[in-house]
Amino acid sequence: MLIFNFYPYDLKFSEVFAVAGNARTGTDIIYVELAYDGKIGYGEASFPPYMKEKREDNLLYLSQLDFSRFESPFLYKEIYDYMDHVSPMHTPAKAAIDMALLDLQGKLKGVSVGNMLAIESSPNIYTSFTIGIGEADFILRQLKRAADFSFIKVKLNGDILYNKNTVELIQRHSNQALGVDFNGGFTDKELALEMIDWLAEKKVAYVEQPLPISLENNYIFLKEKSPLDIYGDESIQNEKDLIEKHHLFDGVNVKLMKCGGVKKAHEMVLKAKDFQLKTMLGCMAESSVAISAAAQLAPLFDRVDLDGNLMVANEIFKGVSVENGRLVFPTNHKMGLGTVKI
Ligand code: MG
């Protein structure tokens, strides 16, 4: 019988983190645990404030689930169907259960989750380092932390002057490759294009979600004119969005919290490749549990942006870590997701 436990936890950041729309010093999360035959699988749900899903609702949802009705953690499809039957929403909670189930399966079999999904592991997977919005001294401080990474993603907004000053500041102090995430900061497609043209002159590698979901129709114009690849993030939450909106973008940012877990993200990246889209593996601000889960899929993606745990100051788990910008998979906890409580 599966034994289920879950609890809220407040992640604290080492610095204020700001993007277009909000600034904060932490993120609400939920940890879940599924135990079977002496092993425990761990999962995590993260709730950044800009997401529709809220922790309280997801806690209530989890309290309604009865996993004791399932004989084994290997009944993955039956368990996921049951969760969908109880509610069509609560995607982060489902992502957490997906992680815990796969972690548990991997631990019971003595293999990694990536192995179970027939994904060939790679010792050379590099993540970008994300720099939030802030004053020049903040950007410079973050640049120091990013020194060992080969790729930086910088958060910008709809303020052209801020954006230009920030990119020039970064490029004066670093020659690392640079990507830009607008988080839907622009409300005018012509201004967004002007900005993207300027970023292309500055040899920026790509841009992410320049326009908000409400102005999605304008992506047809932007995609046609933009010299840089445009990745959709907020616009493409799950596989359904991917099927409906893939023609609006050059690439997609896939995140476990948006789509509902490792298996859903796996299906999404394969579908994105079918659509000839570039692929990025992203994350929310989250701890090592969710980052280690996403990392299992990393070899399948063109770009990896799994740095959400690097700003967390109060981790109670450890798993995949980052050394010189490279993902390092734990050697002594190879099974499942490789996460352990500290
Ligand atoms: Mg993004």
Side-chain angles (χ1 to χ4, degrees):
M1 191 176 81
L2 277 167
I3 299 165
F4 180 43
N5 184 29
F6 63 95
Y7 47 96
Y9 187 72
D10 297 340
L11 285 186
K12 306 277 183 235
F13 301 159
S14 49
E15 285 232 48
V16 174
F17 184 68
V19 302
N22 81 86
R24 61 193 205 277
T25 56
T27 291
D28 295 348
I29 64 167
I30 300 171
Y31 284 122
V32 307
E33 299 180 1
L34 283 168
Y36 181 83
D37 201 14
K39 307 269 192 228
I40 303 175
Y42 299 108
E44 172 184 358
S46 170
F47 303 90
Y50 51 82
M51 273 177 75
K52 279 191 202 132
E53 297 272 3
K54 299 298 171 210
R55 180 165 69 177
E56 284 312 307
D57 302 334
N58 278 259
L59 283 168
L60 188 63
Y61 168 69
L62 288 170
S63 73
Q64 292 164 351
L65 298 176
D66 172 19
F67 292 110
S68 69
R69 61 170 66 202
F70 297 102
E71 282 294 305
S72 135
F74 291 96
L75 298 168
Y76 180 95
K77 187 175 183 311
E78 287 83 347
I79 293 172
Y80 215 102
D81 287 348
Y82 162 68
M83 292 198 292
D84 282 340
H85 177 74
V86 175
S87 161
M89 295 162 48
H90 304 100
T91 309
K94 290 173 186 171
I97 298 296
D98 156 279
M99 288 174 216
L101 278 175
L102 295 179
D103 189 29
L104 187 51
Q105 288 180 9
K107 283 173 173 162
L108 289 164
K109 284 181 166 181
V111 296
S112 74
V113 171
N115 226 312
M116 285 197 305
L117 298 172
I119 297 168
E120 214 167 299
S121 63
S122 163
N124 291 311
I125 296 171
Y126 293 85
T127 176
S128 48
F129 183 94
T130 303
I131 297 182
I133 289 174
E135 304 284 334
D137 62 332
F138 167 81
I139 302 286
L140 291 175
R141 250 191 343 267
Q142 293 296 96
L143 262 183
K144 273 197 186 126
R145 294 191 56 200
D148 295 333
F149 291 72
S150 52
F151 211 102
I152 293 172
K153 181 198 274 197
V154 63
K155 299 284 192 180
L156 298 181
N157 54 28
D159 178 345
I160 291 203
L161 186 62
Y162 172 82
N163 294 346
K164 287 186 174 178
N165 285 341
T166 302
V167 168
E168 283 175 344
L169 177 68
I170 290 172
Q171 292 189 331
R172 267 203 305 280
H173 290 87
S174 134
N175 49 18
Q176 289 147 292
L178 187 63
V180 163
D181 188 358
F182 292 107
N183 292 106
F186 275 97
T187 50
D188 182 311
K189 65 180 178 183
E190 306 280 353
L191 266 186
L193 180 61
E194 208 179 292
M195 185 80 251
I196 294 170
D197 283 339
W198 184 87
L199 291 169
E201 282 170 29
K202 294 288 170 186
K203 305 276 185 264
V204 162
Y206 69 88
V207 298
E208 197 174 315
Q209 195 79 31
L211 301 166
I213 299 174
S214 57
L215 298 176
E216 251 159 21
N217 288 340
N218 293 322
Y219 276 107
I220 294 172
F221 164 89
L222 262 194
K223 185 188 171 190
E224 191 190 305
K225 309 255 183 200
S226 170
L228 297 181
D229 283 339
I230 301 176
Y231 282 73
D233 182 0
E234 287 84 347
S235 283
I236 301 181
Q237 299 278 322
N238 49 38
E239 190 168 350
K240 180 173 170 286
D241 290 340
L242 178 65
I243 291 166
E244 288 172 7
K245 303 181 193 175
H246 65 91
H247 61 291
L248 301 177
F249 299 96
D250 304 291
V252 56
N253 187 339
V254 176
K255 297 177 180 171
L256 304 194
M257 294 304 155
K258 293 194 298 183
C259 70
V262 176
K263 280 213 177 192
K264 300 273 184 192
H266 188 203
E267 288 163 15
M268 258 183 101
V269 66
L270 299 180
K271 178 76 77 181
K273 286 173 193 281
D274 285 347
F275 287 134
Q276 316 276 318
L277 285 186
K278 310 257 172 67
T279 55
M280 184 188 306
L281 178 59
C283 61
M284 308 293 180
E286 52 199 32
S287 80
S288 290
V289 174
I291 293 294
S292 299
Q296 301 291 323
L297 300 173
L300 300 176
F301 285 79
D302 298 318
R303 297 183 181 282
V304 174
D305 184 31
L306 291 183
D307 63 342
N309 59 337
L310 300 180
M311 60 182 174
V312 174
N314 60 341
E315 283 261 24
I316 54 170
F317 284 89
K318 65 176 180 179
V320 170
S321 58
V322 177
E323 278 172 25
N324 300 325
R326 190 172 64 89
L327 297 185
V328 179
F329 292 80
T331 50
N332 52 341
H333 306 288
K334 270 186 178 170
M335 303 164 292
L337 300 176
T339 43
V340 283
K341 270 189 182 166
I342 297 171

